[in-house]
Amino acid sequence: MKPEVQPNKIVVLSGSGVSAESGLPTFRDSGGLWRTFSWQEVASPEGWKLRPESVLAFYNERRLLAWQARPNAAHTAIASLEAAYEVVVITQNVDELHERAGSSKVIHVHGELAYARGTSETPKRYRIDGNPISMGQLCEDGTQLRPDIVWFGEEMRFFEEARMHVATAARVLVVGTSLSVYPAASLVKAARGRAKKVLVAFEVNKPPYGFTFMRGKATEIVPALATTWLKEAAQPAG
Ligand code: APR
């Protein structure tokens, strides 16, 4: 039994492209992080075991950049939709730009730069804002602190909750993600046939079935789309 679609619900599935125009790098575009760094070295449990100081340095730099960045017109437009809709943002991003733009329901499936956690089985989590983590900085349980980020090979967070939100949305906006990383990318499959489905990016491996692909800048396309959707909400039903 599929859950009921909620006519007033929008789900946004965002990736690094939505923060690109805030000056934060993407991963697979030209100039993307995985063009400069090896994810095996700086974003995997194996890399952490081999050279934790390189991993800490990589995330310290990204954290500072993200802390100094400001939301752009795409983040703001997504937040503005809350005036007329229930909006759930499911983001692969580890920055806080959706929250800073005013989005009130943001689910981070790949973790958050603003937090550190211990490395035990039951780690404690600490908010560190834009501050660095250094070797020897320990959790209360005595283990070394690490970025509270989901590395390759680690389990994505909130998958079931995210899937339920997509499955009950009447509108699904996918913005700034190449849909290369699973299982996050598989969330688009939960979108319902009757939902309005839009994908905004410069290019994407394969537009998911049923999605209208709008090629272009998030800061141009998303505000225009939000204006249209807000107008639709203002029209009398029927
Ligand atoms: N406006 C709209 N789309 C953009 C913009 C922009 N200004 N700039 C880039 N894009 C699009 C690109 O066309 C591409 O489709 O954003 C997407 C970025 O794709 P990736 O670099 O693969 O980033 P993302 O999809 O977020 O990566 C997913 O991979 O490494 C892991 O955990 C990491 O969460 C990340 C995941």
Side-chain angles (χ1 to χ4, degrees):
M1 179 66 175
K2 288 201 173 184
E4 199 65 20
V5 169
Q6 294 163 32
N8 203 39
K9 182 169 182 178
I10 294 177
V11 166
V12 178
L13 176 60
S14 69
S16 59
V18 81
S19 297
E21 291 164 86
S22 293
L24 299 184
T26 62
F27 293 95
R28 296 171 184 83
D29 291 325
S30 55
L33 286 169
W34 301 148
R35 301 290 180 105
T36 327
F37 294 89
S38 140
W39 60 262
Q40 295 87 339
E41 280 175 25
V42 295
S44 79
E46 297 70 27
W48 172 254
K49 252 191 228 90
L50 268 177
R51 261 186 303 283
E53 58 287 347
S54 313
V55 174
L56 291 180
F58 173 70
Y59 284 98
N60 288 344
E61 202 180 314
R62 286 185 64 197
R63 186 176 307 105
L64 187 57
L65 204 59
W67 189 247
Q68 291 164 343
R70 281 199 299 280
N72 61 49
H75 296 108
T76 308
I78 289 165
S80 74
L81 286 166
E82 294 191 13
Y85 296 92
E86 181 207 349
V87 183
V88 178
V89 178
I90 298 165
T91 188
Q92 300 170 87
N93 297 342
V94 292
D95 62 58
E96 290 192 331
L97 296 180
H98 282 300
E99 292 90 335
R100 286 198 204 148
S103 288
S104 58
K105 175 83 178 156
V106 182
I107 299 174
H108 288 271
V109 296
H110 287 165
E112 296 179 71
L113 281 169
Y115 289 84
R117 68 174 176 81
T119 37
S120 70
E121 285 309 303
T122 50
K124 292 203 179 342
R125 191 168 181 260
Y126 305 90
R127 190 176 169 94
I128 53 172
D129 294 339
N131 296 307
I133 304 174
S134 44
M135 283 309 291
Q137 208 174 339
L138 304 181
C139 170
E140 289 158 69
D141 63 10
T143 58
Q144 170 63 47
L145 283 181
R146 58 163 276 185
D148 189 35
I149 300 284
V150 176
W151 287 331
F152 286 94
E154 295 185 322
E155 183 145 341
M156 160 188 169
R157 296 174 182 171
F158 311 116
F159 181 75
E160 274 317 314
E161 181 187 351
R163 211 179 53 74
M164 179 280 294
H165 283 304
V166 176
T168 54
R171 298 163 197 256
V172 179
L173 167 60
V174 177
V175 48
T177 176
S178 62
L179 295 172
S180 319
V181 171
Y182 285 79
S186 69
L187 286 170
V188 294
K189 290 205 187 71
R192 306 295 281 280
R194 49 176 292 197
K196 264 194 191 149
K197 300 179 282 291
V198 177
L199 167 65
V200 177
F202 286 155
E203 84 295 312
V204 68
N205 307 336
K206 190 163 77 61
Y209 179 75
F211 277 76
T212 306
F213 177 36
M214 299 177 81
R215 185 190 304 275
K217 282 184 170 180
T219 55
E220 287 168 10
I221 298 180
V222 177
L225 187 67
T227 303
T228 306
W229 285 1
L230 287 167
K231 275 199 192 114
E232 285 172 3
Q235 273 149 14

